[in-house]
Amino acid sequence: GSIRNEKTLAMIKPDGLFGNYTDRIKNVILESGFIIFKEKVVQLDEGSAASFYAEHSTRSFFSSLVKYMTSGPVLVMVLEKENAVADWRTLIGPTDARKAKISHPHSIRALCGLDSEKNCVHGSDSTQSAEREISFFFKEVSTGGVVTEHDEL
Ligand code: DGI
């Protein structure tokens, strides 16, 4: 039978890049059977970071989150495999890296995260957010599988 591959958006946040965790994280990605379909390094500005995390705009930590997300470059990747969205969420672990270190010691956030904000990686939390977040960074990637190159970003 045919396996319909799924795509998700993964991001190594500024502390992950600064801390030199990129190679270790990519090893986990590849050893777990993902294909890195697209990747690029991006420096978010305030507007784009706020727009990416728009659903959190009313939270008390929002301005701090935007400041953190703009504190350095991020590496965004489109990961592809069967069940990519859920499997990548499992690999990164809980939002709060302090909790991850206790409850999910082998997760990526346990490896390189610091707390509930500086948690070193991002993963789309549903196929719907994956679609939004992939087109946010990669206008040319269709989650439906058809690829047209535009090189707009
Ligand atoms: O999908 P997640 O990244 O696991 O978690 P989320 O969608 O609830 O929150 C998005 C980001 O917002 C998270 O990666 C870091 C930040 N954040 C979430 N909860 C808190 C937070 N930042 C602070 N300072 N405090 C929080 O409680």
Side-chain angles (χ1 to χ4, degrees):
S2 66
I3 294 166
R4 179 121 199 154
N5 273 354
E6 188 172 86
K7 291 188 179 73
T8 192
L9 185 87
M11 183 195 294
I12 304 181
K13 297 182 179 184
D15 54 330
L17 283 193
F18 283 140
N20 271 318
Y21 288 105
T22 304
D23 288 348
R24 265 176 283 177
I25 293 169
K26 280 188 173 179
N27 281 341
V28 174
I29 289 171
L30 296 173
E31 283 165 9
S32 306
F34 291 91
I35 291 162
I36 302 176
F37 182 76
K38 284 260 173 181
E39 66 174 328
K40 67 179 167 187
V41 174
V42 175
Q43 171 65 55
L44 294 170
D45 61 18
E46 257 183 54
S48 50
S51 161
F52 183 76
Y53 277 127
E55 65 171 305
H56 295 302
S57 60
T58 61
R59 307 291 292 276
S60 57
F61 58 76
F62 186 65
S63 60
S64 171
L65 175 62
V66 168
K67 194 172 174 189
Y68 161 55
M69 292 300 293
T70 56
S71 65
V74 300
L75 174 66
V76 283
M77 292 172 279
V78 177
L79 305 185
E80 180 174 339
K81 90 186 223 353
E82 198 185 4
N83 207 35
V85 172
D87 287 359
W88 176 240
R89 289 290 295 193
T90 301
L91 280 177
I92 67 179
T95 305
D96 188 341
R98 287 167 303 195
K99 289 183 182 158
K101 285 174 205 288
I102 296 161
S103 63
H104 297 72
H106 301 293
S107 66
I108 295 173
R109 280 168 165 170
L111 168 75
C112 60
L114 194 67
D115 54 32
S116 62
E117 179 174 277
K118 296 179 176 60
N119 56 14
C120 92
V121 282
H122 170 81
S124 310
D125 63 3
S126 66
T127 52
Q128 205 179 354
S129 10
E131 207 166 303
R132 180 184 86 84
E133 293 173 359
I134 289 169
S135 53
F136 186 94
F137 287 108
F138 302 93
K139 289 188 170 61
E140 74 279 16
V141 176
S142 156
T143 45
V146 182
V147 179
T148 322
E149 293 287 352
H150 290 299
D151 271 356
E152 287 177 271
L153 280 174

